[in-house]
Amino acid sequence: MTSCKRVLVTGGAGFLGSHLCARLTGEGVSVICLDNFFTGIRDNVAPLLASPLFELVRHDITEPYLAPVDRIYNFACPASPVHYQINPVQTMKTNVYGAIHLLELAKETDARIFQASTSEVYGDPEEHPQTERYWGRVNPVGRRSCYDEGKRCAETAFFDYRRQYGLDIKVGRIFNTYGPKMRPDDGRVVSTFICQALRGEDITIFGDGSQTRSFCYVTDLMDAVLRFMETPEGITGPVNLGNPTESTILSIAENVLALCGGPSRIRFLPLPEDDPRQRKPDITLARSHLDWEPKVPLEEGLKETIHWFRGTLS
Ligand code: NAD
Ligand code: UDP
């Protein structure tokens, strides 16, 4: 990373993007943080604004962007189902036009480019755990499709730009990640349960809570992303990035309740359309290519996240 002069982080004011900007500037790297502030917030990057290494630019990646850069991390796109379904056409454009504009930028500047892809490319999977060889089971016309199919199309664009123009690409399929700087109104399960418990509200489980996800703490995910970016050019991915410890949503609710205390009770609500039944990454490739595996146990990550939310909600 020391030889790298200037890095572009799109979606840099969001949850993951802001952690990435902090890590990069902390390592002495110059960062352009680009965001349209749809779900991102200035506060997430406020501590970085005084740094000469950090530049914040308001821009929507559905429009082209040009700047001399050596590395591009494409994190721009709302990740919460609640948020990406507010304006599904914009979500699709962000994923598809946005990817193409950034690939054009990479082509123009000869930059290496990382795509924040997602476990959603596997849809509601029949193969468990999911390996990168699995092609997925995705509804192309449902409410989640703007995100799932948008991300799948972005992956296609990345590999076509590599085949056609020789671009230096890295595609990481990120599984559910949580931690400080998630929005309280984000709608994603960990942030929602924690905020509900801290406010003494009912914990809202969709369905019977037997569906599973595998949750990765944000510092582990950042280690994986930074390592992946610096792997040799031949290692393009897709590579699963996540924590293979699988939990039911009911157990997450019980864990959060036990750690937060308070009077909250569990309330069961209908399951949203196309909600995947189970999800767990096979991280064999990440282990071998990145010499990485997640270190933070769920309970420790939840405690850190609860501590952070206590500070922001009060
Ligand atoms: P987030 O919603 O907190 O951050 C997304 C950021 O992108 C926000 O700052 C938002 O304002 C910005 N953005 C959205 N559309 C944009 C556009 N058109 N132009 C410029 N900026 C735009 O979400 P997150 O959890 O930080 O996720 C970041 C990326 O990682 C997303 O691409 C998401 O698909 C991917 N990802 C996240 C997870 C996870 O569990 N957090 C899992 C898989 C993939
Ligand atoms: N979920 C829930 N209650 C909530 C929010 C989410 O039970 O208040 C469930 C949701 O239905 C899904 C799981 O938690 O089964 C993970 O949801 P999230 O939106 O965090 O991520 P994704 O479905 O995109 O993996």
Side-chain angles (χ1 to χ4, degrees), residues 107-124:
K107 183 162 149 260
E108 199 66 35
T109 55
D110 211 17
R112 176 173 281 190
I113 180 166
F114 172 90
Q115 166 68 356
S117 191
T118 168
S119 53
E120 293 286 329
V121 300
Y122 301 122
D124 191 7

Side-chain angles (χ1 to χ4, degrees), residues 266-298:
I266 289 177
R267 184 151 52 103
F268 292 93
L269 296 173
L271 196 65
E273 178 183 303
D274 293 336
D275 200 281
R277 282 290 316 150
Q278 54 181 5
R279 210 182 283 138
K280 169 182 161 122
D282 179 314
I283 59 163
T284 310
L285 269 188
R287 280 197 176 101
S288 66
H289 289 329
L290 318 183
D291 189 22
W292 165 90
E293 61 182 0
K295 295 189 179 70
V296 182
L298 181 65

Side-chain angles (χ1 to χ4, degrees), residues 10-18 34-41 44 59-63 74-80 83 90-91 93-95 98 115-120 147 151 172-178 181-183 186 188 216 221:
T10 74
F15 163 49
L16 295 181
S18 60
L34 197 148
D35 210 292
N36 71 349
F37 295 100
F38 180 60
T39 51
I41 42 176
N44 280 345
H59 180 83
D60 193 307
I61 63 161
T62 60
E63 299 295 333
N74 182 23
F75 277 79
C77 183
S80 147
H83 287 147
Q90 167 71 7
T91 301
K93 285 182 181 170
T94 294
N95 280 318
Q115 166 68 356
S117 191
T118 168
S119 53
E120 293 286 329
Y147 184 79
K151 289 283 186 181
R173 291 183 179 156
I174 301 171
F175 283 63
N176 298 64
T177 301
Y178 69 100
K181 295 189 183 176
M182 294 182 92
R183 291 172 60 124
D186 184 275
R188 283 183 274 188
C216 186
L221 196 269

Side-chain angles (χ1 to χ4, degrees), residues 81 120 144 176 187-189 192-193 204-206 211 213 249 271-272 275 279:
E120 293 286 329
R144 294 175 81 102
N176 298 64
R188 283 183 274 188
V189 70
T192 302
F193 285 0
T204 52
I205 290 188
F206 302 156
Q211 71 271 36
R213 296 292 187 273
I249 296 306
L271 196 65
D275 200 281
R279 210 182 283 138

Side-chain angles (χ1 to χ4, degrees), residues 47 62 65 161 176 198 219:
T62 60
Y65 182 74
Y161 267 77
N176 298 64
L198 293 179
T219 52

